Amino acid sequence: MDAIIHFIVKDFLGQASILIALIAMLGLILQKKSIGKTIEGTFKTLLGFLIMMAGINIIVEALTFLNDIFTSGFGMKGYITDVAAIAGVANRELGSEVALTLLVIFAVNIIIARITPFKYIFLTGQALLWMATIGTVIGYKAGLTGATLILTGGIFGGIMAVLMPAIAQPIVRKITDSDDVALGHFCTIGYLVQAAVARAIGKNSRSTEDLELPDNFKFLQDTYLSMAVIMVPMYIIPAIFAGPTYIAQFAGETNYIMYSFMQSMQFVAGVFVLYSGVRLLLNELVPAFRGIAMRLVPNAKPALDCPVLFPYAPNAVIVGFLATTVGSIIGMIVFPMFGLAMILPGLLTNFFAGGAAGVFGNAMGGRKGAIIGGVIHGLFITLLPAILVPLLETFGFKGVTFSDSDVISTGLVLGHAFQHDWPFVIGFIAFVVLIVWFANRKLSK
């Protein structure tokens, strides 16, 4: 039985590219497309997803290097937002429970989408895994076991898998100018914090995408060239502080400045590959998904990972990344003054979550929303992990914490509920409801 569960969850559902391709194939079959069209659509969906993931992997590798030289060069010590470390410990102790919780989350998602007006199918596999992990860990440490543990984490996670895309959809609709795709990324509360700030301060602010430059700087209107101009100093400056000896472990005999420069170019190349994959994926998956929407879950929308929004406002992605990084550095310095843990800036989170938040901020408040809202977003996603640290430490996790705002929020609500700390639970939920209402007011249709 364990071997079957392992195969389904790890080897089948765990291969996100295969899962997405099979969903596209199912949609095409339900539309009664020809064998040739079904094969074409299935493999183009698979290819688009793999190209997108190849871009993400290039970016992750380049940002991992940047994160290392950044923390070393500037002598930073504190807690890291390392989801993989927590997931690794959890899977060693609770591997089957995490796997079964993941299956329950997906099943509950389908059921809710089928019987309620919230027609969202969450298709970001790794995000569902993190949600299953925190639900299982918090529940187990609170004394739950067996079916009670699995169903508690699974039902709560399934609700989140539908609720988060639903509350983000009015703004996603504004960003994409369509209602064909939703956002399936468990950083949504953070995005809505930035959207709320952008709405408050960004009235009449022009879009980050409306650049008017002198003739000698027209080349910066190209997304990738402007990105390169920004990213080169972001790599070179920390490299100088980290020094040639430290960087030699990555660069070998290559000059450490040249190696850092090439890593910045790798980052830009990764973004180019990612955008290409996103476009191919959406061109194939959205039409194919209509078959599922028509038959299994009428009017269903695929909720996809945050990079699907990046091509709609590429300048806002970089602005959001930089502003979120500034906010996270400020939070790293300020929050320990109030007795909270020092959370080191996670540049992977800052790029993907900060970039998507920047798109939200730009949609709601233009440049001001992307910049000022991004700094607030960076503070928020630094504050949440710091608040979670004491709870995780009581459960035996030292030096690490989660990063995604929705996953952390789930952990905080479940953890304090199990401890019967109802004022915290009610206050936190009230805060989230207020942010969602303010960010989305007058946008819902």
Side-chain angles (χ1 to χ4, degrees):
M1 184 64 182
D2 285 345
I4 295 174
I5 292 172
H6 185 276
F7 171 77
I8 293 173
V9 175
K10 300 292 184 183
D11 299 325
F12 188 72
L13 294 179
Q15 295 292 325
S17 57
I18 299 297
L19 180 60
I20 294 287
L22 289 176
I23 288 171
M25 182 177 72
L26 176 61
L28 293 167
I29 290 172
L30 290 173
Q31 292 181 70
K32 298 182 179 180
K33 297 291 185 179
S34 67
I35 294 176
K37 289 291 184 183
T38 300
I39 294 173
E40 177 185 354
T42 301
F43 278 93
K44 280 189 174 180
T45 300
L46 176 64
L47 182 62
F49 188 88
L50 290 175
I51 292 172
M52 183 183 79
M53 290 307 300
I56 289 174
N57 289 336
I58 294 170
I59 293 168
V60 166
E61 184 176 349
L63 284 178
T64 299
F65 168 73
L66 178 59
N67 201 70
D68 285 342
I69 63 173
F70 193 86
T71 54
S72 174
F74 297 110
M76 295 178 177
K77 294 181 179 179
Y79 289 79
I80 58 172
T81 52
D82 189 350
V83 180
I86 299 175
V89 174
N91 277 291
R92 282 199 300 271
E93 297 182 8
L94 302 164
S96 296
E97 287 84 351
V98 170
L100 289 170
T101 299
L102 177 60
L103 288 177
V104 173
I105 288 174
F106 196 74
V108 170
N109 182 179
I110 298 292
I111 292 169
I112 294 175
R114 173 72 184 183
I115 66 177
T116 74
F118 301 109
K119 306 296 185 182
Y120 302 97
I121 308 298
F122 201 107
L123 296 178
T124 308
Q126 72 272 18
L128 292 177
L129 177 59
W130 306 149
M131 184 62 71
T133 299
I134 197 164
T136 304
V137 167
I138 297 292
Y140 179 76
K141 295 297 184 179
L144 301 183
T145 57
T148 304
L149 171 65
I150 294 163
L151 290 174
T152 299
I155 292 171
F156 199 97
I159 293 171
M160 292 289 284
V162 175
L163 182 62
M164 292 299 107
I167 63 178
Q169 191 61 15
I171 300 176
V172 171
R173 192 183 299 121
K174 181 179 177 67
I175 292 167
T176 63
D177 198 29
S178 75
D179 204 26
D180 293 331
V181 67
L183 178 63
H185 194 220
F186 283 135
C187 295
T188 303
I189 294 172
Y191 301 155
L192 292 174
V193 167
Q194 176 149 352
V197 173
R199 177 184 279 280
I201 56 92
K203 186 176 181 181
N204 299 324
S205 179
R206 298 181 65 184
S207 171
T208 57
E209 310 311 300
D210 297 333
L211 291 176
E212 295 182 5
L213 299 171
D215 289 342
N216 289 337
F217 294 93
K218 289 286 187 184
F219 71 94
L220 291 176
Q221 290 181 326
D222 182 282
T223 297
Y224 305 105
L225 290 177
S226 62
M227 192 179 299
V229 168
I230 292 169
M231 296 311 297
V232 168
M234 276 201 70
Y235 276 76
I236 297 299
I237 293 171
I240 292 171
F241 278 89
T245 302
Y246 181 81
I247 295 178
Q249 64 181 304
F250 305 102
E253 296 182 359
T254 304
N255 177 272
Y256 76 108
I257 296 294
M258 179 56 64
Y259 182 83
S260 302
F261 170 79
M262 291 306 298
Q263 286 296 305
S264 70
M265 292 296 98
Q266 283 283 97
F267 175 91
V268 177
V271 173
F272 179 87
V273 174
L274 183 148
Y275 286 2
S276 301
V278 166
R279 293 187 184 100
L280 179 58
L281 175 65
L282 291 181
N283 286 342
E284 297 299 326
L285 180 61
V286 171
F289 200 82
R290 292 196 183 103
I292 296 174
M294 288 187 297
R295 298 291 180 89
L296 300 181
V297 183
N299 301 315
K301 297 177 182 64
L304 303 174
D305 205 350
C306 63
V308 300
L309 299 182
F310 288 3
Y312 293 97
N315 293 338
V317 173
I318 298 302
V319 171
F321 168 40
L322 296 176
T324 294
T325 299
V326 170
S328 64
I329 292 172
I330 294 172
M332 178 194 68
I333 297 169
V334 171
F335 293 145
M337 298 178 184
F338 297 92
L340 294 170
M342 177 180 283
I343 305 298
L344 299 181
L347 295 183
L348 290 175
T349 299
N350 288 356
F351 175 70
F352 290 106
V359 176
F360 271 64
N362 181 63
M364 302 305 296
R367 297 173 188 174
K368 288 183 181 179
I371 296 170
I372 300 173
V375 174
I376 301 300
H377 176 254
L379 287 168
F380 181 73
I381 67 171
T382 304
L383 176 62
L384 276 187
I387 295 173
L388 185 65
V389 162
L391 191 65
L392 287 177
E393 289 193 335
T394 64
F395 296 159
F397 295 100
K398 304 293 185 182
V400 295
T401 181
F402 278 92
S403 56
D404 296 357
S405 59
D406 303 348
V407 174
I408 296 173
S409 298
T410 298
L412 288 171
V413 169
L414 287 177
H416 285 275
F418 289 137
Q419 293 176 349
H420 305 292
D421 185 3
W422 300 115
F424 179 93
V425 172
I426 294 170
F428 188 84
I429 292 174
F431 165 76
V432 172
V433 169
L434 181 63
I435 288 295
V436 171
W437 172 80
F438 186 79
N440 281 335
R441 64 183 180 141
K442 298 182 180 179
L443 285 177
S444 299
K445 292 183 181 179

